[in-house]
Amino acid sequence: MRNAARWDEVIDTAFVDSVIDGFRARPEALVAIFNAVQTRYGYLPERALRRISDRMVIHWAQVFGAAGLGGFRLLPVEGHVVTVCTCAACRFSGGESLLRDAERLLGVRVGETTPDGSFTLETSADVAAGAIAPAVRIDTLVYGPLTSEHLEHLIAQRRGGASTGDGGNGRRRGKTPVGSEA
């Protein structure tokens, strides 16, 4: 089903084609292709999904279905996306508490966006930060290990609010992004 409001969106067709070609258009690489496209755009644009469908000769309904069932974002998100890691390492080291703190700090539950559109809260088991658990990805940067104070500082930074810069404990641990792009 075509979303007329988004059909005119512009995508870099050469980029999408290069991603597909990089995986030799193998159907088993569909999730990896989705990951690359979502990393570039922040979501899976409809035109990109249709391009993937055409180039890989997979019916568009199967491509859209796989993207939806795979937990990929199908619509653009305004503002910052805060993703709390739910992998076993993060859950074991306090990730559930961190998730509750994120909900409290943002005033929304998982899957919701703040009324002003500045933050969306999500969870994912593939933040890829088990060694720095518990971790949170904000947009494309991964932070960890985090405490509630660290998370509060990171959110305040993105709101434009003043903060001490040390999470209230004099340490910088957890302030520096680990890796550059998630």
Side-chain angles (χ1 to χ4, degrees), residues 68-176:
L69 291 173
F72 291 94
R73 184 175 294 110
L74 299 176
L75 296 171
V77 175
E78 293 181 26
H80 299 286
V81 179
V82 177
T83 307
V84 178
C85 186
T86 57
C87 75
C90 286
R91 284 193 324 265
F92 181 73
S93 61
E96 290 178 16
S97 174
L98 201 59
L99 177 58
R100 287 191 300 275
D101 291 336
E103 289 177 332
R104 177 184 54 79
L105 291 166
L106 297 173
V108 296
R109 299 186 69 75
V110 173
E112 296 179 347
T113 300
T114 57
D116 64 358
S118 61
F119 291 93
T120 297
L121 181 60
E122 297 179 344
T123 59
S124 176
D126 66 352
V127 169
I132 57 168
V136 169
R137 181 175 57 223
I138 300 179
D139 300 324
T140 60
L141 298 176
V142 177
Y143 298 88
L146 290 183
T147 65
S148 178
E149 293 81 19
H150 292 137
L151 181 61
E152 187 171 1
H153 168 77
L154 292 169
I155 290 172
Q157 275 185 324
R158 278 145 187 87
R159 281 193 172 130
S163 181
T164 62
D166 64 6
N169 62 11
R171 296 180 301 167
R172 300 282 302 166
R173 190 173 127 200
K175 298 294 176 266
T176 308

Side-chain angles (χ1 to χ4, degrees), residues 6 56 129 132:
R6 292 186 307 121
M56 295 181 69
I132 57 168

Side-chain angles (χ1 to χ4, degrees), residues 32-43:
I33 293 168
F34 289 163
N35 276 324
V37 173
Q38 183 166 292
T39 297
R40 169 87 181 249
Y41 294 102
Y43 73 107

